[in-house]
Amino acid sequence: MEYKPVSPKVDFPHQEEEILEFWNKNDIFKKSISQREGADEFVFYDGPPFATGLPHFGHFIPSTIKDIIPRYQTMKGKKVDRRFGWDCHGLPVENLIEKELGINSKHEIEAYGVANFNDKCRDSVLKYTSEWRQTITRMGRWVDFDHDYKTMNPEYMESIWWVAKSLWDKGMIYEGKYILPYCPRCSTVLSTHELAQGYKEKQDPAITIRFKITRAPSKINDSDMVNGKTYFLAWTTTPWTLPSNEGLCMGPDIDYVKILDKESNDYYILAKARLSSYYKDENSYTIIYEKKGVDFIGAKYEPLFPYFSNLAINEDGSDGAFRMFNADYVSTEDGTGIVHIAPAFGEEDSKVMKDTGIPAVEPMDAECKFTKDVSDYVGRFVKDCDKDIMDRLKREGKLVKRDTVMHQYPHCWRCGSPLIYRGIGSWFVKVADQHENLLNSNSQIKWQPSHIKEGRFGKWLAGARDWAVSRNRYWGNPIPIWRCDNPDCKDTICIGSRQELKDLSGIYPEDIHKQFVDKITIPCKKCGGTMHRISEVFDCWFESGSMPYAQNHYPFENKEYFEKHFPADFISEGLDQTRGWFYTLTVLSSHLFGKPAFKNCIVNGLVLASDGRKMSKSLKNYTDPVEAINKFGADALRLFLIHSAVVKADDLRYSDDGVRDVIKNIILPLWNSYSFYITYANIDKVQPTGHLFDNKAPSNLLDAWLLSITQQLVKNVTDALEDYDLSGAVDPIVNFIDEMNNWYIRRSRRRFWKSENDSDKTEAYEALYIALKTFSQVAAPFIPFITEEMWLNLKNADDKESVHLNDYPEYNVSWRDEQL
C-alpha cells in the first residue's frame, strides 16, 4: 500500500479546511473527550468574551494558548472539558443599543423604558456568536460551543445572588461613598481595576491661579500678607473644579518663599524649588522670606468664585473653607508646590478635608453637568466649561499662567469618554483589609511568566482598594439588596436565591433582570414598612469573576461536581486581566473559599500593529485575522504567535511578513522533510512499522542521532508543557525541524537515492518514519492541522484515526542511553 502522494506546492489554508471537515465528520473533538471518560480530569476555566464584536488578534493569542494546553493534557490521558462562555451584560452591550436607538443619556433610556431597553440588549447581545464560532474553529481551537454558559441566563444570575449573599453574611459587602472614577456619558462609577484598560494620551489645560490672602497664619508675623497684594499661587489641570474650590494645600516640609514680582509689584507665595519654572531671570523677583509649609497652616484667602462663599465659617463658628492645609502628598514635581482642593473631586483632597466640618460641594448632576449652584455654567458639561472659566479668571486678574500638558488620562473602557473623579455612593466588596488572604491565595498559583506572581499581580493585590461593584445602569444582574422605604428605618436585607425572594415576597421570578425584580416588594419585618430593591446592578466583572460557581448553577445544582472541579487547573488570558478577570476571580474565591480559583495561569502580552501602535480599525494598520488565516493558514499564524515574546507577557508587533517567515523557515522545511520521506518511500514501495529498533540499536550513527534528538524533543517539550512554559516548549520543536531537515536528511540523501534496498536504506526509512510520526504527536497541540495531515498519511492500520486521539509520546530513556 502506498502513501498518499504529497505535493511540494501545498496550499496550507485549503488543506486545513479539509482537516476541519475530517474532524467535524468524524467527531474527533468529541471522541478526544469521550475516550477519556472515567480518567482523571484536568479542569479548565474559559473567561467569557463579549459577543458584541468580532474576534480580533487580541483574542487569537489566548485562544491559541487555551487550545494548546487542553490538547496536551488530553493526550496525556486526562479528560478535559472545554466550555465556552459569553459575557452578556454591561456597558459594551448598552453602548451598542444606545447608538442603535440614537440616545446618549440615562434619562433618554428611562424615557424609552427600561424594559424595552433591556429587551433590545438581550436581542443583540449574542449578535456575533456564529462568527465567533466559525473563526475560533477555523483557527484550530477545540472548544465546546454547544454547552456554553451565558451570564444573562437565570441560573447563572441566581448563583451571582448566592455569591452576594455569602459575602453579605461575612460582612464583606457594604455601602459607602468614596472618590471614584465616573463616566459622565454612561452615568456610572467604574472600579479602579477597570482603569488600566482605558488610559489615553490627552491634552489638558495647565493653569496657575492666584488666591488673594485675607488672613496671615499664626506662625508667621507678616502684617503685609493681608495688604491685598499678596497671593498664594496654585496650579491645576482641571479648571472646571475651581468653582468648587474649598481649600489650598502645601507640603509640610517643603520650603516656600514669599517673593516680590518686580513686573506686577505683587507678592506671591510658592515653593522655592518651582521658582525657575516661573522666572527665567532671577533678577525679576526678590525673595522676602522662606518658610516651611507647616508654617502657613490656617492662612485664609478670598474665594475665587462666589458660589460657596458662605462656607468660610462652619455652623459652629469655627474656621471653614478657603484656608491653607497641609498634606504629605503635595510635591514640587510640577506646578507651584501648592494644590487647590476640591474635596468632592479628588481622593487626596477628600482626605485632607475629612473631619474639618466643611461639606464637600459637588455642583454637578449624574451626567456631570453643572447644577444651578454654579449659576453661570448651569446645564453644561463641566469639562466643556474649562475655556470659559479660564477666560473669566483672566478678566478678573486671577490667571497668572496658562499652559497645556500632555498626559495619560483615564477614559471609559467602553464608550471612550474621559472619566471624572467624583465623590459617589456605591456598594463595595471589602478588599483593602484582605490583602494577606489575597496574597496567600496568590502564593498558591503558578504563573507563566513567573515574574507576574510577585510583580504586576502581587503588587496590585498588595495595594488593592475596596472594589466598587455597583453600577447605576440597566442591563445587568440586579444587586439583590432590598431596603425599607421608611426613612426612620431603612433596614436592608440581601437575598441569596429566587426561592428566598419568594419566601419573603410571595413571588418567584423566572427572570431576575431589573425590569422584573424591581416590581417585587418585601414587607419589612423591622417596622412593617415596604422594602424595594436598590436601583443598582452588578459590575459585569463581578459576574465573570463568579463564573466558576455560576456556570454550574452552584450551590443550587451540581454541588458535588463543582467541588470536584474547583479550583481550575488552568486558565489563560492577556496581561490586562491581571487587573481584570484574574483579579476578580481571586478576590471572590479567596473571600468565599479561602483559596485561589485557579492553580496555573499563562499570561500573554498584547499584539500590536507592525508600527508598534495599538491595532485600530480606523487606522487600518493590521490585516484582518480571518484574512490572515485564509492567506497563510492557522498553523502558521499560531506558530508565529507562540514562537514570540507574546507568550512571555511581552508585546508583539504583528506583521504579515512575520507569518511569511514562519512559513518559509519552519512550516515549509517541515513539509519538505515529510514530502521527502513520502516521495522516496513510495518510489521504493516501503512502509516502515516504527518497531524495527524496538530490540536493536540502529547501525548508522546518523539514524541513532536522529532517534536520540527525537527522544530529546519528547523530553524537552513535555518538561516545558508540564511547567506551562510555551516558549520553552516551542523552541525545541522549531530546532528539531531544522536538525531533521538540514542535518539528518541533507546528510542521508544518498542513502535514500541508491537503487538497492539494503538494510542501511531500510533503517534510514525506519528512523525518519519514527521521527516524523513522533514529531506529529509532539507538535500536535501547537500546529494541529499539518500534524494531522502527516499522521493520516503515516499511520498504520492499528493506529488511532487521528493524531489528537493518541497518548502523548513518553520519553524513552533506554533509547537515548543506548544511542549514547
Side-chain angles (χ1 to χ4, degrees), residues 94-103 112 120 124 127:
E94 290 198 29
N95 289 160
L96 284 177
I97 299 305
E98 287 178 60
K99 290 177 183 177
E100 181 182 311
L101 296 174
I103 57 181
Y112 180 74
K120 281 278 189 181
S124 72
K127 180 178 181 180

Side-chain angles (χ1 to χ4, degrees), residues 517-535:
V517 296
D518 282 5
K519 299 174 183 176
I520 300 174
T521 60
I522 297 173
C524 179
K525 292 182 179 180
K526 196 170 181 180
C527 75
T530 302
M531 306 183 96
H532 283 88
R533 195 190 70 82
I534 62 172
S535 62

Side-chain angles (χ1 to χ4, degrees), residues 168 175 427 480-484 489-495 524 526 531-532 534:
W168 177 274
E175 188 177 21
W427 289 87
I481 294 173
W482 268 254
R483 174 180 279 143
C484 180
C489 177
K490 293 186 177 180
D491 189 36
T492 53
I493 59 172
C494 185
I495 305 298
C524 179
K526 196 170 181 180
M531 306 183 96
H532 283 88
I534 62 172

Side-chain angles (χ1 to χ4, degrees), residues 21-31 801 805:
E21 187 177 341
F22 165 76
W23 288 343
N24 186 51
K25 181 179 179 181
N26 294 282
D27 284 333
I28 302 300
F29 173 38
K30 291 180 181 177
K31 287 177 181 176
E801 66 176 312
L805 299 180

Side-chain angles (χ1 to χ4, degrees), residues 682-719:
N682 281 344
I683 290 172
D684 287 329
K685 295 182 171 48
V686 299
Q687 201 157 26
T689 63
H691 298 294
L692 181 62
F693 302 121
D694 285 355
N695 299 306
K696 74 167 190 171
S699 304
N700 192 302
L701 282 176
L702 279 171
D703 298 337
W705 175 76
L706 179 61
L707 297 179
S708 175
I709 64 168
T710 301
Q711 286 305 303
Q712 195 61 45
L713 169 72
V714 173
K715 183 179 189 305
N716 290 344
V717 176
T718 300
D719 289 349

